[in-house]
């Protein structure tokens, strides 16, 4: 019994197989040369029958995901909601000393400095991103957060008034050890500002783009709130944002000492039923997108993916369309001329691709839905083709988008 895997949130042993993604490349590992390693993995997703948490038990080792080849940074995203998130924290507590765990290239740290935080420290395991943050003038620890690492940070900097934790906890396999480190970092009555992907809408839409191999935990709002209470935090504020497919955020105050009474686990029934429908939705999206791409190619359409970020790469792999793509387009100079994971497609700027586009193009929009209008405008200014579009990511409904593109392709033959 002791060897059986436990749910990393509630500790339950009743894990049920949900889905396996086979031959999956690392989604942000964009190779420089075709002969560079392009490792593949089978990733198994399990759902906890005691609390409902969807999780990856056999996680890809972190040192393979975040090695020296990992150059993925997030500053290009320019999240518009950061000011709102910081303002919500400042409303609860004056800006003072903060630490950004998972600071990446320092984008949030810059916002914190502008908001009045007098000292900002970072923790970031991605060496490339951490160095970018250091060049902006911040003290950054290139490591994962453990309680031992937290004690070393506190020995140098003292306790922090606020911990910012944006899009990190979904990557953490050892939640108990991680939150022990968070509590070590915070002063008594300090604030934790937590942001996580919002997965419920993606579950309802059946979108496989949510299933990133780096995300070993998939929290619904109820499970995120349970996690905070379990590790000794009182929730002060909640926020929802549509940016990047949707996220939820919490501002919570640390209890000192944490409440010792048992924290009731949420009813898993609604989440398990949602996951059951999600599994069927994934299969439908795979079939519909693959069928559309095949229809487009058979009708003389070229196929492009606009956006080579991890969700696009994963969706191309899961839906088995990688070998049917003619162009991979991205505006980010740091990933141009690299190869999309799992393919031989080189990422190129729109200006370079435009001259090779023929009369008809199916464009798969692998960008945040908040940016789709700008991207479509850019494409239509650059090419003279008749373009049919598919929105790949929630909150847009990909199936509705596929239907519209199918009608456009069929009409083009009349």
């Amino acid at each position: 019994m002791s060897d059986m895997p436990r749910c990393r949130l509630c500790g339950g042993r009743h894990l049920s197989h949900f889905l396996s993604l086979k031959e999956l490349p690392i989604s942000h590992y964009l190779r420089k040369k075709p002969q560079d390693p392009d490792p593949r993995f089978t990733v198994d997703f399990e759902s906890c029958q005691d609390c409902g948490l969807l999780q990856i038990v056999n996680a890809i080792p972190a040192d393979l995901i975040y090695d020296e080849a990992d150059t993925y940074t997030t500053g290009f995203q320019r999240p518009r909601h950061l000011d709102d998130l910081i303002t919500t924290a400042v409303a609860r507590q004056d800006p003072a000393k903060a630490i950004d765990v998972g600071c990446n290239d320092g984008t949030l740290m810059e916002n914190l400095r502008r908001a009045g935080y007098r000292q900002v420290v970072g923790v970031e395991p991605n060496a490339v991103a951490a160095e970018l943050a250091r060049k902006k003038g911040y003290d950054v620890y290139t490591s994962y957060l453990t309680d031992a690492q937290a004690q070393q940070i506190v020995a140098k900097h003292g306790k922090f008034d606020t911990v910012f934790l944006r899009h990190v906890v979904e990557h953490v396999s050892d939640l108990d050890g991680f939150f022990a480190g968070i509590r070590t970092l915070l002063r008594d009555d300090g604030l934790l500002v937590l942001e996580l992907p919002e997965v419920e809408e993606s579950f309802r839409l059946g979108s496989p783009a949510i299933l990133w191999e780096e995300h070993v935990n998939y929290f619904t709002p109820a499970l995120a709130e349970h996690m905070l209470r379990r590790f000794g935090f009182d929730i002060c504020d909640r926020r929802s944002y549509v940016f990047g497919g949707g996220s939820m955020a919490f501002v919570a105050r640390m209890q000192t000492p944490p409440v010792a009474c048992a924290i009731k686990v949420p009813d898993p029934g609604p989440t398990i039923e949602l996951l059951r429908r999600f599994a069927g939705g994934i299969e439908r999206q795979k079939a519909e997108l693959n069928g559309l791409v095949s229809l487009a190619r058979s009708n003389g359409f070229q196929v492009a993916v606009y956006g080579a970020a991890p969700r696009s790469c994963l969706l191309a792999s899961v839906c088995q369309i990688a070998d049917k793509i003619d162009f991979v387009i991205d505006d980010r100079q740091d990933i141009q001329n690299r190869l999309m994971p799992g393919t031989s497609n080189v990422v190129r700027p729109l200006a370079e691709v435009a001259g090779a586009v023929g009369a008809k193009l199916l464009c798969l929009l692998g960008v945040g839905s908040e940016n789709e209008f700008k991207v479509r405008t850019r494409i239509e200014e650059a090419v003279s083709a008749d373009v049919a579009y598919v929105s790949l990511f929630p909150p847009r409904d990909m199936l509705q988008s596929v239907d519209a593109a199918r009608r456009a392709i069929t009409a083009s033959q009349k």
Side-chain angles (χ1 to χ4, degrees):
M1 176 70 74
S2 60
D3 293 333
M4 292 180 63
R6 284 182 174 271
C7 172
R8 61 174 58 94
L9 178 60
C10 75
R13 296 188 183 274
H14 303 102
L15 298 181
S16 177
H17 178 73
F18 173 71
L19 178 72
S20 292
L21 298 180
K22 299 181 179 179
E23 292 293 306
L24 195 68
I26 295 175
S27 299
H28 64 238
Y29 192 122
L30 282 80
R31 297 157 5 255
K32 294 181 179 179
K33 302 183 294 293
Q35 60 268 32
D36 286 347
D38 189 21
R40 310 296 181 91
F41 299 88
T42 294
V43 179
D44 298 313
F45 293 80
E46 310 282 335
S47 60
C48 177
Q49 302 302 293
D50 294 318
C51 72
L53 181 71
L54 182 67
Q55 56 203 282
I56 299 174
V57 174
N58 63 329
I60 299 173
D63 59 349
L64 295 180
I65 293 180
Y66 305 107
D67 68 4
E68 66 276 2
D70 176 22
T71 61
Y72 184 69
T73 57
T74 58
F76 74 96
Q77 296 173 341
R78 303 186 186 280
R80 299 176 183 88
H81 64 278
L82 289 187
D83 285 344
D84 177 76
L85 188 61
I86 294 169
T87 299
T88 305
V90 170
R92 292 284 173 180
Q93 178 178 279
D94 287 348
K97 187 165 63 172
I99 184 166
D100 182 7
V101 178
C103 67
N104 203 265
D105 59 9
T107 298
L108 175 61
M109 299 168 81
E110 291 183 294
N111 287 57
L112 293 173
R113 179 182 285 171
R114 287 193 292 269
Y117 286 85
R118 65 174 183 267
Q119 181 182 358
V120 184
V121 176
V123 178
E124 175 52 54
N126 179 328
V128 173
E131 185 58 28
L132 290 173
R134 286 192 197 96
K135 289 179 178 178
K136 296 173 181 176
Y138 299 102
D139 192 354
V140 179
Y141 291 80
T142 307
S143 64
Y144 300 99
L145 183 70
T146 62
D147 193 32
Q149 178 68 82
Q151 291 176 36
Q152 292 179 23
I153 295 171
V154 169
K156 179 178 179 180
H157 299 280
K159 294 276 188 175
F160 293 87
D161 301 281
T162 312
V163 171
F164 284 83
L165 197 57
R166 293 190 62 248
H167 295 279
V168 174
V169 176
E170 63 269 26
H171 299 262
V172 175
S173 294
D174 178 12
L175 291 174
D176 291 271
F178 182 81
F179 272 94
I182 295 294
R183 294 186 63 85
T184 294
L185 291 172
L186 273 173
R187 69 168 174 80
D188 292 352
D189 206 36
L191 288 183
L192 172 62
V193 182
L194 171 70
E195 185 175 349
L196 296 161
E198 200 293 307
V199 300
E200 282 193 331
E201 188 156 21
S202 293
F203 287 171
R204 285 193 292 272
L205 292 172
S207 174
I210 197 70
L211 299 176
W212 188 8
E213 78 278 357
E214 282 191 33
H215 290 183
V216 298
N217 309 307
Y218 295 81
F219 294 98
T220 63
L223 288 173
E225 292 181 14
H226 170 71
M227 176 179 65
L228 286 167
R229 289 192 296 269
R230 181 189 163 198
F231 292 114
F233 290 88
D234 283 329
I235 298 170
C236 305
D237 296 284
R238 299 166 178 81
R239 288 287 188 273
S240 295
Y241 305 107
V242 296
F243 181 85
S247 67
M248 54 184 171
F250 304 88
V251 175
R253 193 174 300 279
M254 188 171 75
Q255 302 167 346
T256 308
V259 176
C261 64
I263 303 297
K264 183 178 179 182
V265 176
D267 176 10
T271 302
I272 291 171
E273 175 59 23
L274 183 61
L275 289 174
R276 185 190 66 78
R277 295 196 300 271
F278 178 40
I282 292 172
E283 292 305 313
R284 184 179 174 194
Q285 287 214 359
K286 288 167 57 177
E288 292 287 332
L289 184 60
N290 199 303
L292 176 72
V293 170
S294 296
L295 174 69
R297 291 180 65 88
S298 67
N299 282 278
F301 279 71
Q302 293 169 300
V303 179
V305 172
Y306 199 115
R311 288 189 297 170
S312 304
C313 301
L314 183 140
L315 197 142
S317 298
V318 171
C319 294
Q320 300 176 329
I321 60 171
D323 60 346
K324 302 174 184 178
I325 296 169
D326 298 293
F327 310 112
V328 179
I329 306 169
D330 202 291
D331 301 317
R332 294 177 55 198
Q333 293 183 358
D334 60 318
I335 65 172
Q336 289 168 1
N337 300 314
R338 295 192 173 216
L339 282 79
M340 186 179 187
T343 79
S344 57
N345 290 309
V346 177
V347 181
R348 303 192 185 280
L350 177 59
E352 184 178 317
V353 169
V357 173
K360 295 184 288 188
L361 179 70
L362 173 64
C363 186
L364 309 179
L365 294 170
V367 298
S369 58
E370 66 276 7
N371 293 316
E372 282 197 9
F373 176 77
K374 291 187 294 185
V375 169
R376 291 197 306 269
T377 300
R378 200 173 298 146
I379 292 169
E380 286 155 13
E381 290 174 349
V383 305
S384 57
D386 290 331
V387 186
Y389 296 99
V390 173
S391 301
L392 295 180
F393 302 150
R396 304 290 176 100
D397 187 330
M398 190 179 82
L399 291 178
Q400 291 182 359
S401 187
V402 165
D403 285 342
R406 185 182 294 113
R407 289 194 298 271
I409 291 169
T410 302
S412 73
Q413 305 307 308
K414 295 180 181 178

